[in-house]
mmCIF file of all heavy atoms in Angstrom:
data_model
loop_
_atom_site.group_PDB
_atom_site.id
_atom_site.type_symbol
_atom_site.label_atom_id
_atom_site.label_comp_id
_atom_site.label_asym_id
_atom_site.label_seq_id
_atom_site.Cartn_x
_atom_site.Cartn_y
_atom_site.Cartn_z
ATOM 1 N N LYS P 353 63.519 267.301 92.341
ATOM 2 C CA LYS P 353 62.448 266.381 92.427
ATOM 3 C C LYS P 353 61.181 267.012 91.743
ATOM 4 O O LYS P 353 61.150 268.186 91.419
ATOM 5 C CB LYS P 353 62.062 266.052 93.890
ATOM 6 C CG LYS P 353 63.181 265.598 94.712
ATOM 7 C CD LYS P 353 62.838 265.474 96.168
ATOM 8 C CE LYS P 353 63.966 265.082 97.088
ATOM 9 N NZ LYS P 353 63.583 265.135 98.546
ATOM 10 N N SER P 354 60.145 266.181 91.538
ATOM 11 C CA SER P 354 58.930 266.619 90.929
ATOM 12 C C SER P 354 58.313 267.710 91.748
ATOM 13 O O SER P 354 57.453 268.461 91.301
ATOM 14 C CB SER P 354 58.029 265.600 90.595
ATOM 15 O OG SER P 354 58.541 264.624 89.631
ATOM 16 N N SER P 355 58.619 267.712 93.055
ATOM 17 C CA SER P 355 58.041 268.761 93.910
ATOM 18 C C SER P 355 58.662 270.070 93.756
ATOM 19 O O SER P 355 58.245 271.079 94.346
ATOM 20 C CB SER P 355 58.258 268.240 95.377
ATOM 21 O OG SER P 355 59.574 268.145 95.707
ATOM 22 N N LEU P 356 59.746 270.134 92.948
ATOM 23 C CA LEU P 356 60.668 271.298 92.737
ATOM 24 C C LEU P 356 61.595 271.534 93.964
ATOM 25 O O LEU P 356 62.279 272.524 93.976
ATOM 26 C CB LEU P 356 59.907 272.536 92.381
ATOM 27 C CG LEU P 356 59.161 272.479 91.102
ATOM 28 C CD1 LEU P 356 58.406 273.816 90.842
ATOM 29 C CD2 LEU P 356 60.049 272.175 89.930
ATOM 30 N N GLU P 357 61.751 270.437 94.827
ATOM 31 C CA GLU P 357 62.769 270.542 95.797
ATOM 32 C C GLU P 357 64.052 269.933 95.333
ATOM 33 O O GLU P 357 64.036 269.045 94.512
ATOM 34 C CB GLU P 357 62.271 269.731 97.119
ATOM 35 C CG GLU P 357 63.289 269.741 98.246
ATOM 36 C CD GLU P 357 62.807 268.995 99.447
ATOM 37 O OE1 GLU P 357 61.976 268.099 99.231
ATOM 38 O OE2 GLU P 357 63.339 269.240 100.591
ATOM 39 N N SER P 358 65.138 270.529 95.748
ATOM 40 C CA SER P 358 66.471 270.010 95.346
ATOM 41 C C SER P 358 66.670 268.602 95.783
ATOM 42 O O SER P 358 66.278 268.202 96.861
ATOM 43 C CB SER P 358 67.560 270.935 95.846
ATOM 44 O OG SER P 358 68.804 270.436 95.831
ATOM 45 N N LYS P 359 67.315 267.808 94.956
ATOM 46 C CA LYS P 359 67.649 266.417 95.360
ATOM 47 C C LYS P 359 68.871 266.379 96.265
ATOM 48 O O LYS P 359 69.062 265.598 97.089
ATOM 49 C CB LYS P 359 68.005 265.567 94.110
ATOM 50 C CG LYS P 359 66.807 265.250 93.185
ATOM 51 C CD LYS P 359 67.249 264.486 91.939
ATOM 52 C CE LYS P 359 66.109 264.270 91.038
ATOM 53 N NZ LYS P 359 66.555 263.568 89.718
ATOM 54 N N ALA P 360 69.673 267.521 96.154
ATOM 55 C CA ALA P 360 70.959 267.618 96.933
ATOM 56 C C ALA P 360 70.765 268.188 98.312
ATOM 57 O O ALA P 360 71.471 267.809 99.225
ATOM 58 C CB ALA P 360 71.983 268.311 96.130
ATOM 59 N N LEU P 361 69.884 269.249 98.411
ATOM 60 C CA LEU P 361 69.699 269.958 99.639
ATOM 61 C C LEU P 361 68.238 269.928 100.096
ATOM 62 O O LEU P 361 67.324 270.369 99.434
ATOM 63 C CB LEU P 361 70.111 271.461 99.389
ATOM 64 C CG LEU P 361 71.542 271.663 99.120
ATOM 65 C CD1 LEU P 361 71.757 273.126 98.775
ATOM 66 C CD2 LEU P 361 72.414 271.299 100.403
ATOM 67 N N ASP P 362 67.989 269.343 101.183
ATOM 68 C CA ASP P 362 66.764 269.253 101.841
ATOM 69 C C ASP P 362 66.195 270.689 102.187
ATOM 70 O O ASP P 362 66.972 271.468 102.780
ATOM 71 C CB ASP P 362 66.654 268.478 103.147
ATOM 72 C CG ASP P 362 66.977 266.895 102.822
ATOM 73 O OD1 ASP P 362 66.729 266.589 101.675
ATOM 74 O OD2 ASP P 362 67.383 266.255 103.772
ATOM 75 N N GLY P 363 64.941 270.948 101.764
ATOM 76 C CA GLY P 363 64.399 272.196 102.156
ATOM 77 C C GLY P 363 64.624 273.305 101.098
ATOM 78 O O GLY P 363 64.126 274.456 101.353
ATOM 79 N N LEU P 364 65.370 273.095 100.059
ATOM 80 C CA LEU P 364 65.675 274.083 99.048
ATOM 81 C C LEU P 364 64.800 273.874 97.814
ATOM 82 O O LEU P 364 64.826 272.704 97.252
ATOM 83 C CB LEU P 364 67.073 274.098 98.650
ATOM 84 C CG LEU P 364 67.400 275.052 97.468
ATOM 85 C CD1 LEU P 364 67.209 276.436 97.932
ATOM 86 C CD2 LEU P 364 68.856 274.869 96.990
ATOM 87 N N TYR P 365 63.930 274.756 97.402
ATOM 88 C CA TYR P 365 63.115 274.661 96.191
ATOM 89 C C TYR P 365 63.543 275.705 95.195
ATOM 90 O O TYR P 365 64.082 276.786 95.609
ATOM 91 C CB TYR P 365 61.676 274.871 96.629
ATOM 92 C CG TYR P 365 61.052 273.790 97.519
ATOM 93 C CD1 TYR P 365 61.367 273.757 98.896
ATOM 94 C CD2 TYR P 365 60.177 272.812 97.023
ATOM 95 C CE1 TYR P 365 60.900 272.789 99.673
ATOM 96 C CE2 TYR P 365 59.693 271.781 97.889
ATOM 97 C CZ TYR P 365 60.016 271.848 99.188
ATOM 98 O OH TYR P 365 59.529 270.797 100.036
ATOM 99 N N MET P 366 63.270 275.442 93.981
ATOM 100 C CA MET P 366 63.654 276.387 92.908
ATOM 101 C C MET P 366 62.429 276.526 92.027
ATOM 102 O O MET P 366 61.781 275.492 91.660
ATOM 103 C CB MET P 366 64.888 275.973 92.132
ATOM 104 C CG MET P 366 66.213 275.914 92.957
ATOM 105 S SD MET P 366 67.554 275.455 91.846
ATOM 106 C CE MET P 366 68.913 275.514 93.090
ATOM 107 N N ALA P 367 62.166 277.710 91.388
ATOM 108 C CA ALA P 367 61.141 277.961 90.570
ATOM 109 C C ALA P 367 61.406 279.118 89.548
ATOM 110 O O ALA P 367 61.990 280.122 89.992
ATOM 111 C CB ALA P 367 59.810 278.195 91.296
ATOM 112 N N GLY P 368 61.035 278.964 88.316
ATOM 113 C CA GLY P 368 61.114 279.978 87.375
ATOM 114 C C GLY P 368 62.417 279.938 86.492
ATOM 115 O O GLY P 368 62.839 278.763 86.238
ATOM 116 N N GLN P 369 62.944 281.022 86.095
ATOM 117 C CA GLN P 369 64.069 281.045 85.178
ATOM 118 C C GLN P 369 65.373 280.420 85.715
ATOM 119 O O GLN P 369 66.251 279.983 84.986
ATOM 120 C CB GLN P 369 64.305 282.469 84.679
ATOM 121 C CG GLN P 369 63.286 282.909 83.712
ATOM 122 C CD GLN P 369 63.457 284.470 83.292
ATOM 123 O OE1 GLN P 369 63.167 285.323 84.083
ATOM 124 N NE2 GLN P 369 63.914 284.655 82.082
ATOM 125 N N ILE P 370 65.382 280.301 87.017
ATOM 126 C CA ILE P 370 66.513 279.575 87.631
ATOM 127 C C ILE P 370 66.551 278.142 87.252
ATOM 128 O O ILE P 370 67.536 277.414 87.213
ATOM 129 C CB ILE P 370 66.513 279.738 89.169
ATOM 130 C CG1 ILE P 370 67.845 279.262 89.800
ATOM 131 C CG2 ILE P 370 65.348 278.990 89.759
ATOM 132 C CD1 ILE P 370 67.937 279.608 91.224
ATOM 133 N N ASN P 371 65.384 277.625 86.809
ATOM 134 C CA ASN P 371 65.213 276.271 86.294
ATOM 135 C C ASN P 371 65.327 276.089 84.778
ATOM 136 O O ASN P 371 65.027 275.131 84.191
ATOM 137 C CB ASN P 371 63.894 275.586 86.754
ATOM 138 C CG ASN P 371 63.777 275.433 88.256
ATOM 139 O OD1 ASN P 371 64.798 275.328 88.901
ATOM 140 N ND2 ASN P 371 62.623 275.345 88.813
ATOM 141 N N GLY P 372 65.646 277.272 84.161
ATOM 142 C CA GLY P 372 65.830 277.170 82.699
ATOM 143 C C GLY P 372 64.664 277.495 81.794
ATOM 144 O O GLY P 372 64.656 277.231 80.619
ATOM 145 N N THR P 373 63.580 277.992 82.398
ATOM 146 C CA THR P 373 62.394 278.312 81.648
ATOM 147 C C THR P 373 62.391 279.773 81.189
ATOM 148 O O THR P 373 63.249 280.600 81.706
ATOM 149 C CB THR P 373 61.105 278.099 82.362
ATOM 150 O OG1 THR P 373 61.080 278.850 83.572
ATOM 151 C CG2 THR P 373 60.953 276.610 82.828
ATOM 152 N N THR P 374 61.545 280.117 80.241
ATOM 153 C CA THR P 374 61.302 281.464 79.814
ATOM 154 C C THR P 374 59.877 281.754 79.870
ATOM 155 O O THR P 374 59.069 280.841 79.515
ATOM 156 C CB THR P 374 61.915 281.782 78.450
ATOM 157 O OG1 THR P 374 61.734 283.087 78.073
ATOM 158 C CG2 THR P 374 61.289 280.849 77.369
ATOM 159 N N GLY P 375 59.468 282.968 80.270
ATOM 160 C CA GLY P 375 58.091 283.281 80.203
ATOM 161 C C GLY P 375 57.433 283.496 81.598
ATOM 162 O O GLY P 375 57.797 282.737 82.519
ATOM 163 N N TYR P 376 56.572 284.507 81.742
ATOM 164 C CA TYR P 376 55.989 284.804 83.018
ATOM 165 C C TYR P 376 55.080 283.602 83.487
ATOM 166 O O TYR P 376 55.126 283.207 84.644
ATOM 167 C CB TYR P 376 54.989 285.986 82.892
ATOM 168 C CG TYR P 376 55.634 287.225 82.386
ATOM 169 C CD1 TYR P 376 54.810 288.110 81.645
ATOM 170 C CD2 TYR P 376 56.876 287.617 82.587
ATOM 171 C CE1 TYR P 376 55.276 289.286 81.130
ATOM 172 C CE2 TYR P 376 57.431 288.794 82.090
ATOM 173 C CZ TYR P 376 56.579 289.693 81.324
ATOM 174 O OH TYR P 376 57.085 290.772 80.861
ATOM 175 N N GLU P 377 54.325 282.982 82.534
ATOM 176 C CA GLU P 377 53.365 281.910 82.845
ATOM 177 C C GLU P 377 54.084 280.662 83.369
ATOM 178 O O GLU P 377 53.657 280.144 84.368
ATOM 179 C CB GLU P 377 52.540 281.673 81.668
ATOM 180 C CG GLU P 377 51.776 282.921 81.067
ATOM 181 C CD GLU P 377 52.710 283.750 80.161
ATOM 182 O OE1 GLU P 377 53.922 283.373 79.874
ATOM 183 O OE2 GLU P 377 52.167 284.752 79.779
ATOM 184 N N GLU P 378 55.157 280.230 82.635
ATOM 185 C CA GLU P 378 55.876 279.078 83.060
ATOM 186 C C GLU P 378 56.426 279.319 84.534
ATOM 187 O O GLU P 378 56.479 278.358 85.355
ATOM 188 C CB GLU P 378 56.974 278.743 82.140
ATOM 189 C CG GLU P 378 56.504 278.224 80.856
ATOM 190 C CD GLU P 378 56.331 279.371 79.762
ATOM 191 O OE1 GLU P 378 56.083 280.580 80.125
ATOM 192 O OE2 GLU P 378 56.217 279.096 78.545
ATOM 193 N N ALA P 379 56.970 280.467 84.805
ATOM 194 C CA ALA P 379 57.438 280.786 86.074
ATOM 195 C C ALA P 379 56.437 280.834 87.158
ATOM 196 O O ALA P 379 56.656 280.244 88.238
ATOM 197 C CB ALA P 379 58.252 282.155 86.007
ATOM 198 N N ALA P 380 55.282 281.419 86.847
ATOM 199 C CA ALA P 380 54.294 281.490 87.827
ATOM 200 C C ALA P 380 53.736 280.067 88.203
ATOM 201 O O ALA P 380 53.480 279.803 89.412
ATOM 202 C CB ALA P 380 53.113 282.388 87.375
ATOM 203 N N GLY P 381 53.577 279.234 87.216
ATOM 204 C CA GLY P 381 53.065 277.905 87.469
ATOM 205 C C GLY P 381 54.097 277.118 88.442
ATOM 206 O O GLY P 381 53.661 276.416 89.332
ATOM 207 N N GLN P 382 55.351 277.227 88.083
ATOM 208 C CA GLN P 382 56.330 276.569 89.036
ATOM 209 C C GLN P 382 56.353 277.177 90.386
ATOM 210 O O GLN P 382 56.450 276.481 91.392
ATOM 211 C CB GLN P 382 57.776 276.715 88.451
ATOM 212 C CG GLN P 382 58.073 276.063 87.120
ATOM 213 C CD GLN P 382 59.324 276.538 86.541
ATOM 214 O OE1 GLN P 382 60.405 276.135 87.125
ATOM 215 N NE2 GLN P 382 59.320 277.293 85.466
#
Side-chain angles (χ1 to χ4, degrees):
K353 304 172 186 175
S354 294
S355 62
L356 295 180
E357 184 180 19
S358 167
K359 293 176 181 177
L361 291 173
D362 290 342
L364 175 65
Y365 295 75
M366 295 182 178
Q369 284 175 287
I370 194 173
N371 290 340
T373 60
T374 181
Y376 306 147
E377 303 82 4
E378 291 91 341
Q382 293 171 71

